[in-house]
Amino acid sequence: MNQTINKYSKQIIIVNSIFILFWLTISIFPFIWTLWGSFKVKADFFSRADWTYALSGFNTLIETGATTTIKAYLESWTEGEFGRATMNTMIVTVSVVSISLFLGTLGAYALSRSTFKYTFYILIIALVFRAMPHITLVSGYLFPFFQLNIWGILPTTIIVLVAINQPFTLWLLYSFFKTVPKELDESALIDGCSYFQAFRYIIMPVMWPGVVTAGLFSMMLAYNDFTVTALLLNQHNYTMVPKINAYLGTVEYGGNYMWAVSSVVSATAPLFMIIWFFQRQLISGLTAGAVKG
Amino acid sequence: MPHRTFFWFILPTALAMILFIGLPIVSSFFQSLHIENEQVLMEVENCDPFGCTTNVRVDVEATEKIEAENPLGRFNGFGTYTDRNHLAFDEIREAWDNKTSIGEFKDTVLNLPFYKALLFTLTFCFAVTPPVIVLGFIVALSVNTLAKKLKGFIVFGTILPMIVTPLIGSLVLFWMIDSQGIIGASIQILFDDPNLSLKASSNLTWITLIIYGIWHNTPFAFVVFYAALQTVPQDPLEAAFIDGASRFERVRFIVIPHLYPVATFIMLICLMDNFRVFEPIIGFSAEGVAQSLSWMIYQDLRNENKMLFGSAGATSMLTILGIAFLLTPVLIRTWKEFKTER
């Protein structure tokens, strides 16, 4: 029976394939185009005269003597100090992921195991916090941070990103902890474990899939953030995304477009690779709260 | 779990959230009640061989002293909320009194910074969300029919626009749509109009931003719908098949009703996230014709001369009010869900 239902007629298969191809083109092509263009000079990638120059590398050949060039990469990584920005991003991302997982697992475990009513209110408050636009929070940070003289440095930004990330991490881990049977840690408690020991030695080992998913989302938030990093860090400490924005407009870098193009490639490539490996976890996390309803 | 243990487990995360989400909102509100210090002016008499002149200039020393005593500025009550850059009560009253037609009144109001930004923010929210839901559903349906081997790669390709940060996503599109990029240049040739470009009219810019919004948000709708499709019960589908329902009828009368709750969830999340639209405006360099509420706050904080904390705080509070309005249905839903779970 199932076979007949799921058998598709030829027309449907054809229409479907065309649609999927069309859709994939829309979602992937811009990235491929940027990757390709990053190896050309500006006159080719932004060619007024003829867009086929971007394919043939007409001006690139004239300017550099070859049809492809890695000039933009070399310059942005040396003169543009993109390496420093990469380093900052790595520091921020690793710290944010580890701290928010540590705080989040502790909190979510408690929320999933307590039977008192206040857990519900804590979760609701977290939901409200999750909805706050980041820029409104930043407008609240700046003044106190200037007064306390902690503006512009990486640790401040890391703590802020951890906090902004907590509501989502809590909700996600909470729904994962709910799926771990209570009997597991209850039996450990009867055997004489403390709550912390039960959490550490009994529950955590079976929670890895949930932790990986939550870590992935923390990573994307920290890696991709623009609002917080652009306003809370000084130019010297910029992470990759605000750095790319700085290449575009400021006098300092002379609006060097090709640096921005090559940096966009440098910044997205590692992200895409990580997502390729952890696709499953990402999708399970996105649907965790949604499908129940 | 006893209260004591619960307290120690939740303390670190609660502390982080209270300090860096709760307090900033209070701090924003507090800032919005204040306004920047006035500069102290003084009269200086300049005497030279041709006589004496008096000039008014800023007394730097006195200004700095006031600044040091009152770094937040002077108290202004709700003055900032009603000034020209925010709710603009006086300007609206004036426009209402002097209006010759309703259309003119509408134009005047929508040219005030706050209402202009609100109009764009709302237009963006409500223009992006419906196509996102429809497209996401169609893509999910068609990916679902594919062979298992292909699915992995296609799902990965489909979610790419969602993974990159909005700034990078909008830049990547902007470089193609720009008058010197591949799509922009081709369109110019196609319509034989060398002046046709994204920046030529505000309508075109708005449409481009909305297209970007759809491109960025559809993957999320797709992923959620795709997961939900796996939970559609098979029995009614089989029954409908035996009764002679066509494929379209089966989708229309069985699959879609099953996915209604999921669609509302996607809609609310989309509305909430798009209400904060801000990075695409920077990516597309569309500041001239499209401003959003978040962009207004960013601009106040990026002010060259002096950060306008008061103004940014007031806009923040108004934005939070808007979010609260959109959030109410989500809260009610969560409330009910939690009640039934117990």
Side-chain angles (χ1 to χ4, degrees), chain A residues 8 16 118 139-141 166 224, chain B residues 3 20 27-28 142 145 163 165:
Chain A
Y8 301 102
N16 200 35
Y118 49 69
S139 91
Y141 297 136
Q166 275 307 296
N224 278 338
Chain B
H3 296 302
F20 293 99
S27 149
S28 254
S142 64
T145 61
I163 293 165
T165 179

Side-chain angles (χ1 to χ4, degrees), chain A residues 1-2 4-5 7-8 12 16 19-20 23-24 26-31 33-34 45-48 51 103 106-107 109-111 113-124 126-147 159-160 163-164 166-167 170-171 174 178 195-196 199 220 224 226-227 230-231 238 241 244-245 248 257 260-261 264 267-268 271-272 275-276 279 282-283 286-287 289-293, chain B residues 1-3 5-6 9-10 12-13 16-17 20-22 24-25 27-28 31 71-72 135 138-139 142-143 145-146 152-165 167-168 171-176 178-182 185-186 188-189 194 215 218 220 223-224 227-228 231 234 237-238 241-242 247 250 261-262 265 269 272-273 276 278-279 282 294 297-298 301-302 307 309 312-313 316 319-320 323 327 330-331 333-335 337-339 341-342:
Chain A
M1 195 73 228
N2 224 346
T4 12
I5 281 198
K7 214 171 157 196
Y8 301 102
I12 287 192
N16 200 35
F19 177 74
I20 289 282
W23 181 254
L24 275 186
I26 292 179
S27 53
I28 299 180
F29 180 71
F31 298 107
W33 181 250
T34 311
F45 190 50
F46 297 99
S47 165
R48 227 177 205 304
W51 67 267
L103 301 188
L106 281 177
Y109 175 68
L111 286 174
R113 289 301 182 259
S114 176
T115 46
F116 293 104
K117 201 152 188 180
Y118 49 69
T119 54
F120 171 62
Y121 293 104
I122 294 176
L123 283 169
I124 286 285
L127 191 66
V128 174
F129 280 172
R130 148 86 172 81
M132 290 298 143
H134 299 169
I135 188 90
T136 61
L137 300 178
V138 173
S139 91
Y141 297 136
L142 281 176
F143 181 73
F145 284 2
F146 279 132
Q147 294 299 307
I159 296 176
V160 164
I164 287 186
Q166 275 307 296
L170 267 187
W171 265 94
Y174 169 78
K178 273 276 176 197
Y195 268 100
F196 186 76
F199 165 74
M220 274 171 56
N224 278 338
F226 172 70
T227 320
L231 286 166
Y238 268 174
V241 182
I244 291 169
N245 186 46
L248 291 176
Y257 255 74
V261 178
V264 160
T268 40
L271 189 64
F272 283 3
I275 298 301
W276 173 252
Q279 223 190 99
L282 185 84
I283 288 169
L286 275 173
T287 51
V291 186
K292 279 184 296 173
Chain B
M1 191 181 265
H3 296 302
T5 331
F6 180 81
F9 266 98
I10 201 87
T13 166
M17 286 199 289
F20 293 99
I21 304 180
I25 297 174
S27 149
S28 254
Q31 282 168 32
L72 195 51
L135 256 178
I138 296 175
V139 176
S142 64
V143 170
T145 61
L146 289 173
F153 172 74
I154 287 174
V155 169
F156 174 72
T158 309
I159 61 176
L160 287 187
M162 172 185 72
I163 293 165
V164 292
T165 179
L167 184 77
I168 290 186
L171 277 176
V172 166
L173 286 196
F174 177 62
W175 289 333
M176 292 172 67
D178 193 28
S179 63
Q180 299 170 14
I182 168 171
S186 307
Q188 281 183 1
I189 294 167
W215 182 76
T218 303
F220 171 71
V223 167
V224 178
T231 68
Q234 287 298 313
L237 279 178
E238 266 174 39
F241 180 73
I242 293 168
R247 181 169 302 275
R250 269 175 279 155
V262 180
F265 167 81
I269 295 281
M272 241 159 55
D273 283 352
R276 17 171 135 160
F278 149 61
E279 282 137 309
I282 295 184
S294 296
I297 303 172
Y298 178 77
L301 298 175
R302 265 290 161 100
M307 291 187 175
F309 291 123
S316 298
T319 311
I320 289 176
I323 285 280
L327 191 65
V330 184
L331 287 182
R333 187 190 120 115
T334 318
W335 186 281
E337 213 171 72
F338 215 84
K339 281 274 143 71
E341 236 173 65
R342 271 167 192 248

Side-chain angles (χ1 to χ4, degrees), chain B residues 161-223:
Chain B
M162 172 185 72
I163 293 165
V164 292
T165 179
L167 184 77
I168 290 186
S170 52
L171 277 176
V172 166
L173 286 196
F174 177 62
W175 289 333
M176 292 172 67
I177 297 173
D178 193 28
S179 63
Q180 299 170 14
I182 168 171
I183 294 177
S186 307
I187 289 177
Q188 281 183 1
I189 294 167
L190 209 66
F191 288 94
D192 200 20
D193 177 2
N195 293 321
L196 187 71
S197 81
L198 170 66
K199 294 212 185 65
S201 83
S202 64
N203 283 344
L204 271 182
T205 313
W206 282 37
I207 291 170
T208 319
L209 281 168
I210 287 166
I211 289 176
Y212 160 78
I214 296 170
W215 182 76
H216 179 74
N217 282 297
T218 303
F220 171 71
F222 154 73
V223 167

